[in-house]
Protein backbone atom coordinates (compact mmCIF):
# COMPACT_ATOMS: atom_id res chain seq x y z
CA UNK A 1 0.00 0.00 0.00
CA UNK A 2 1.33 3.47 -0.92
CA UNK A 3 1.50 6.23 1.70
CA UNK A 4 2.29 9.90 1.57
CA UNK A 5 3.46 12.11 4.44
CA UNK A 6 4.86 15.61 4.88
CA UNK A 7 6.52 16.76 8.11
CA UNK A 8 7.34 20.39 8.83
CA UNK A 9 9.43 21.49 11.78
CA UNK A 10 10.43 25.15 11.67
CA UNK A 11 11.99 25.77 8.27
CA UNK A 12 12.79 22.06 7.96
CA UNK A 13 10.39 20.06 5.82
CA UNK A 14 10.53 16.49 4.55
CA UNK A 15 8.04 14.71 2.31
CA UNK A 16 7.76 10.99 1.60
CA UNK A 17 5.68 9.00 -0.82
CA UNK A 18 6.14 5.25 -0.96
CA UNK A 19 5.51 1.97 0.80
CA UNK A 20 3.70 1.96 4.11
CA UNK A 21 6.16 -0.63 5.46
CA UNK A 22 9.15 1.71 4.94
CA UNK A 23 7.17 4.57 6.46
CA UNK A 24 6.46 2.55 9.61
CA UNK A 25 9.95 1.14 10.05
CA UNK A 26 12.64 3.36 8.53
CA UNK A 27 11.20 6.76 7.68
CA UNK A 28 11.04 8.06 11.26
CA UNK A 29 14.63 6.96 11.90
CA UNK A 30 15.71 8.79 8.76
CA UNK A 31 13.87 11.98 9.82
CA UNK A 32 15.51 11.84 13.26
CA UNK A 33 18.91 11.48 11.61
CA UNK A 34 18.24 14.44 9.32
CA UNK A 35 17.07 16.64 12.18
CA UNK A 36 20.29 15.87 14.04
CA UNK A 37 22.39 17.36 11.23
CA UNK A 38 20.18 20.29 10.19
CA UNK A 39 21.46 23.61 11.57
CA UNK A 40 19.50 24.68 14.62
CA UNK A 41 18.34 27.95 13.07
CA UNK A 42 16.51 25.90 10.41
CA UNK A 43 14.53 24.13 13.14
CA UNK A 44 13.37 27.27 14.96
CA UNK A 45 9.74 28.21 14.53
CA UNK A 46 9.04 31.80 13.64
CA UNK A 47 6.01 33.89 14.45
CA UNK A 48 5.94 37.41 13.09
CA UNK A 49 9.72 37.31 12.74
CA UNK A 50 10.47 36.35 16.36
CA UNK A 51 12.01 33.08 17.47
CA UNK A 52 9.98 30.92 19.77
CA UNK A 53 12.04 28.96 22.29
CA UNK A 54 10.61 25.92 24.04
CA UNK A 55 8.62 26.87 27.12
CA UNK A 56 9.62 25.56 30.48
CA UNK A 57 7.65 22.56 31.71
CA UNK A 58 7.83 23.96 35.26
CA UNK A 59 4.39 25.50 36.00
CA UNK A 60 5.85 27.63 38.77
CA UNK A 61 8.61 29.02 36.54
CA UNK A 62 9.38 32.59 37.49
CA UNK A 63 8.96 35.14 34.71
CA UNK A 64 10.43 38.58 34.14
CA UNK A 65 9.02 41.22 31.88
CA UNK A 66 12.27 43.03 31.14
CA UNK A 67 14.21 43.67 27.95
CA UNK A 68 17.76 42.35 27.57
CA UNK A 69 18.96 45.98 27.97
CA UNK A 70 17.10 46.29 31.29
CA UNK A 71 18.48 42.98 32.53
CA UNK A 72 22.02 44.04 31.55
CA UNK A 73 21.58 47.31 33.44
CA UNK A 74 20.22 45.53 36.52
CA UNK A 75 23.21 43.17 36.74
CA UNK A 76 25.69 45.96 35.90
CA UNK A 77 27.14 44.50 32.69
CA UNK A 78 30.71 45.62 32.00
CA UNK A 79 32.24 42.73 29.98
CA UNK A 80 31.34 40.21 27.32
CA UNK A 81 31.02 37.51 29.98
CA UNK A 82 28.63 39.73 31.94
CA UNK A 83 26.51 40.20 28.83
CA UNK A 84 26.41 36.44 28.26
CA UNK A 85 25.05 36.05 31.78
CA UNK A 86 22.44 38.75 31.12
CA UNK A 87 21.45 36.97 27.90
CA UNK A 88 21.08 33.69 29.79
CA UNK A 89 18.94 35.41 32.43
CA UNK A 90 16.71 36.76 29.64
CA UNK A 91 16.45 33.36 27.97
CA UNK A 92 15.64 31.65 31.28
CA UNK A 93 13.38 34.13 33.03
CA UNK A 94 11.79 35.99 30.10
CA UNK A 95 11.59 33.38 27.34
CA UNK A 96 11.28 30.32 29.58
CA UNK A 97 14.16 28.30 28.08
CA UNK A 98 16.03 26.08 30.54
CA UNK A 99 18.90 25.35 28.15
CA UNK A 100 20.46 27.79 25.73
CA UNK A 101 22.24 27.17 22.47
CA UNK A 102 25.19 29.32 21.51
CA UNK A 103 23.18 31.02 18.72
CA UNK A 104 20.33 31.83 21.12
CA UNK A 105 22.78 33.40 23.58
CA UNK A 106 24.39 35.51 20.86
CA UNK A 107 21.02 36.65 19.50
CA UNK A 108 19.93 37.68 22.99
CA UNK A 109 23.23 39.52 23.57
CA UNK A 110 22.63 41.51 20.39
CA UNK A 111 19.19 42.52 21.67
CA UNK A 112 20.97 44.30 24.53
CA UNK A 113 22.17 46.83 21.97
CA UNK A 114 23.25 49.39 24.59
CA UNK A 115 25.83 46.89 25.85
CA UNK A 116 26.68 44.68 22.87
CA UNK A 117 29.99 45.11 21.03
CA UNK A 118 30.93 43.26 17.82
CA UNK A 119 34.06 41.93 19.51
CA UNK A 120 31.83 39.90 21.84
CA UNK A 121 30.74 37.59 19.02
CA UNK A 122 34.38 37.14 17.96
CA UNK A 123 35.28 36.10 21.51
CA UNK A 124 32.09 34.18 22.32
CA UNK A 125 33.73 30.74 22.47
CA UNK A 126 36.44 32.02 24.79
CA UNK A 127 33.92 33.74 27.06
CA UNK A 128 31.64 30.68 27.21
CA UNK A 129 34.59 28.40 28.04
CA UNK A 130 35.69 30.76 30.83
CA UNK A 131 32.18 30.92 32.26
CA UNK A 132 31.96 27.12 32.27
CA UNK A 133 35.41 26.82 33.85
CA UNK A 134 34.47 29.36 36.55
CA UNK A 135 31.21 27.54 37.33
CA UNK A 136 28.96 30.36 36.13
CA UNK A 137 27.52 28.21 33.33
CA UNK A 138 27.07 24.48 32.87
CA UNK A 139 27.63 22.97 29.43
CA UNK A 140 24.96 20.27 29.30
CA UNK A 141 26.22 19.05 25.93
CA UNK A 142 28.42 20.55 23.26
CA UNK A 143 27.15 24.03 22.46
CA UNK A 144 24.26 23.91 24.95
CA UNK A 145 24.35 25.68 28.30
CA UNK A 146 22.31 26.27 31.42
CA UNK A 147 22.68 28.27 34.60
CA UNK A 148 23.74 26.35 37.72
CA UNK A 149 21.44 26.38 40.75
CA UNK A 150 23.67 28.80 42.68
CA UNK A 151 23.51 31.38 39.87
CA UNK A 152 19.75 30.94 39.59
CA UNK A 153 19.39 31.66 43.30
CA UNK A 154 21.61 34.72 42.92
CA UNK A 155 19.49 36.02 40.03
CA UNK A 156 16.26 35.18 41.91
CA UNK A 157 17.46 37.56 44.64
CA UNK A 158 18.69 40.21 42.20
CA UNK A 159 15.34 40.30 40.40
CA UNK A 160 13.28 39.63 43.55
CA UNK A 161 11.64 36.51 42.15
Amino acid sequence: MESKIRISFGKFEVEYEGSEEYLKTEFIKMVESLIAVVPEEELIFEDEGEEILPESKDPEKKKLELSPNNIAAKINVKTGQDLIMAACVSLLYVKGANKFKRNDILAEMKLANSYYKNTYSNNLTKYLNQLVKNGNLIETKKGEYTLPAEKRKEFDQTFEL
Side-chain angles (χ1 to χ4, degrees):
M1 181 173 182
E2 291 288 309
S3 295
K4 186 174 183 178
I5 187 170
R6 179 186 306 197
I7 299 173
S8 295
F9 190 73
K11 294 178 183 176
F12 174 74
E13 187 173 312
V14 64
E15 189 172 332
Y16 170 76
E17 186 173 347
S19 79
E20 190 172 330
E21 183 62 32
Y22 180 83
L23 180 65
K24 288 179 179 178
T25 58
E26 300 299 321
F27 180 73
I28 297 302
K29 292 177 191 174
M30 181 191 68
V31 170
E32 289 172 344
S33 298
L34 287 172
I35 288 173
V37 297
V38 172
E40 177 187 348
E41 56 271 5
E42 296 295 318
L43 298 175
I44 295 175
F45 289 93
E46 293 185 10
D47 181 32
E48 297 178 18
E50 294 186 23
E51 292 181 3
I52 301 172
L53 296 172
E55 287 295 318
S56 167
K57 291 183 172 60
D58 183 358
E60 296 181 26
K61 185 75 176 155
K62 301 167 185 110
K63 294 288 245 174
L64 285 177
E65 292 186 16
L66 295 174
S67 71
N69 271 325
N70 291 338
I71 292 169
K74 181 83 171 168
I75 65 172
N76 198 24
V77 165
K78 300 260 189 261
T79 67
Q81 288 183 38
D82 293 342
L83 190 55
I84 289 172
M85 295 305 290
C88 291
V89 167
S90 180
L91 289 165
L92 177 66
Y93 292 109
V94 176
K95 296 192 174 173
N98 286 315
K99 296 177 183 174
F100 336 112
K101 301 271 187 191
R102 175 190 169 88
N103 290 344
D104 296 330
I105 294 170
L106 182 58
E108 207 67 18
M109 290 170 68
K110 289 179 178 179
L111 291 175
N113 56 349
S114 297
Y115 296 87
Y116 179 77
K117 297 176 185 174
N118 287 330
T119 59
Y120 292 166
S121 66
N122 297 337
N123 294 312
L124 188 58
T125 299
K126 180 176 118 181
Y127 294 153
L128 288 167
N129 288 339
Q130 289 171 340
L131 288 166
V132 169
K133 185 177 179 182
N134 296 339
N136 291 314
L137 281 179
I138 297 170
E139 189 171 20
T140 57
K141 64 181 183 181
K142 185 157 179 65
E144 184 177 86
Y145 304 88
T146 193
L147 289 171
E150 308 82 49
K151 288 309 259 183
R152 290 179 190 222
K153 287 178 189 174
E154 181 183 318
F155 290 127
D156 285 353
Q157 291 175 344
T158 300
F159 293 99
E160 300 173 358
L161 297 173

